[in-house]
Amino acid sequence: MSTLTFNTKFKPNHGNVTELDDGIYRITANNRGPMTFEGTNTYLIGKENMAIIDPGPFDSDHLKVILNALEGRPLSHIFVSHTHKDHSPLAKELQSLTGATIYAEGPHRAARSLQAGENNLLTESSDLDFSPDVELSHGQIIDGGDWQIQAVHTPGHTANHCAFAYLERETLFSADHVMAWSTSFIGPPDGSMSDYMTSLKILIDRDDRHILPGHGPEVIAPKDFLLGLQKHRKSREQAILEAIKANDSLLISEIIGLVYQNLDERLKLAASLSTLAHLEDLVEQGEIKTNDTVSLKSRYQRV
Ligand SMILES: [Zn+2]
């Protein structure tokens, strides 16, 4: 049975460290917002030799809490899930203070090349200066002595998105790929819906007992939740397809009016981009067509 219930009950405990399990700590940055929920979760793992997953936004208060949480223990590894400004910018500062090595899939890049005249609306939220010391391949294991972290490439939200599996604990740090409080934002050209669906399948085929996201609380009953997410995306895709089939042609603004209920005004652009991600996928599959390039302004028609 796949069920999808979002959990928006979360106490971020800003300014403090929450010990989730022996040697797993969560520190939530105070950058709450419509896309970040209660703020970015930074995770600290280890007992003697420490690693950090997603240092977070450039915020001196958040940095202070992280440094205090280390309690003098060495920080050797900084893992970064992806290059959005709420996850990666503190990496460099933390490195200069601790000497830790920065690991990630790679620098920021879009999932596809820009079309003629296309303006990338996501550039402002991206950390274009980021570059890791070590680029991780899919499945690569990094041994930190008292812990082992495996890189799990999960493109979709961004092209360079990477989740991290803490193997001994059967725990996956899923960042923005899978979150308990909301669906993940997928917006072209940086994001790709077909990549996202493939990455979701990668997690469904794993057997992580715990999933700790980049925003909000732990995912409860991971397998059911992942199957629920998959079903949710497929039914959204189906709703878009049916809306287009029932009309001569539709603009994205008309599609979101038909497909989304009670859409928060602040999330209108996100919904438009998310719909564009589905349309790209549907055009690719040959289910629909457009007389122009696949863009925010085009009209979409049944085949
Ligand atoms: Zn993100």
Side-chain angles (χ1 to χ4, degrees), residues 82 84 86-87 157 176:
H82 68 296
H84 277 156
D86 54 330
H87 290 262
H157 173 69
D176 287 7

Side-chain angles (χ1 to χ4, degrees), residues 183-232:
T183 54
S184 173
F185 169 66
I186 314 296
D190 290 4
S192 153
M193 192 59 76
S194 64
D195 286 353
Y196 177 78
M197 294 305 282
T198 305
S199 296
L200 206 51
K201 182 74 171 53
I202 288 173
L203 263 55
I204 290 168
D205 291 342
R206 294 177 55 90
D207 276 313
D208 301 297
R209 283 206 307 135
H210 300 280
I211 292 185
L212 294 171
H215 303 271
E218 178 174 350
V219 172
I220 307 300
K223 190 73 96 185
D224 278 356
F225 188 78
L226 292 166
L227 289 168
L229 277 181
Q230 189 184 45
K231 199 170 148 194
H232 172 82

Side-chain angles (χ1 to χ4, degrees), residues 100-290:
T101 304
I102 300 174
Y103 296 78
E105 192 267 357
H108 192 78
R109 66 178 184 278
R112 60 156 169 81
S113 48
L114 278 183
Q115 289 155 358
E118 185 182 13
N119 178 19
N120 187 345
L121 299 169
L122 303 168
T123 299
E124 210 181 305
S125 54
S126 304
D127 181 5
L128 305 179
D129 298 331
F130 177 83
S131 100
D133 302 312
V134 178
E135 295 192 355
L136 295 165
S137 54
H138 181 60
Q140 188 175 345
I141 294 171
I142 302 295
D143 194 339
D146 57 343
W147 49 259
Q148 285 191 318
I149 289 287
Q150 184 177 36
V152 182
H153 284 187
T154 43
H157 173 69
T158 60
N160 65 357
H161 195 286
C162 186
F164 299 103
Y166 186 170
L167 295 175
E168 304 89 315
R169 301 298 181 84
E170 296 172 86
T171 297
L172 186 83
F173 296 92
S174 58
D176 287 7
H177 179 49
V178 166
M179 299 177 286
W181 76 283
S182 164
T183 54
S184 173
F185 169 66
I186 314 296
D190 290 4
S192 153
M193 192 59 76
S194 64
D195 286 353
Y196 177 78
M197 294 305 282
T198 305
S199 296
L200 206 51
K201 182 74 171 53
I202 288 173
L203 263 55
I204 290 168
D205 291 342
R206 294 177 55 90
D207 276 313
D208 301 297
R209 283 206 307 135
H210 300 280
I211 292 185
L212 294 171
H215 303 271
E218 178 174 350
V219 172
I220 307 300
K223 190 73 96 185
D224 278 356
F225 188 78
L226 292 166
L227 289 168
L229 277 181
Q230 189 184 45
K231 199 170 148 194
H232 172 82
R233 294 285 179 175
K234 284 184 177 163
S235 67
R236 173 61 48 82
E237 181 189 82
Q238 198 55 34
I240 291 171
L241 188 57
E242 276 163 21
I244 292 169
K245 281 184 174 167
N247 291 276
D248 285 340
S249 75
L250 288 176
L251 290 166
I252 286 184
S253 56
E254 294 166 334
I255 296 170
I256 62 172
L258 293 167
V259 166
Y260 286 83
Q261 273 104 43
N262 312 318
L263 182 64
D264 183 333
E265 197 58 33
R266 296 173 302 171
L267 295 176
K268 217 162 183 175
L269 177 63
S272 302
L273 286 166
S274 203
T275 302
L276 178 62
H278 277 297
L279 293 168
E280 272 187 0
D281 201 10
L282 285 166
V283 168
E284 180 82 23
Q285 292 171 39
E287 297 275 5
I288 57 163
K289 62 178 182 181
T290 172

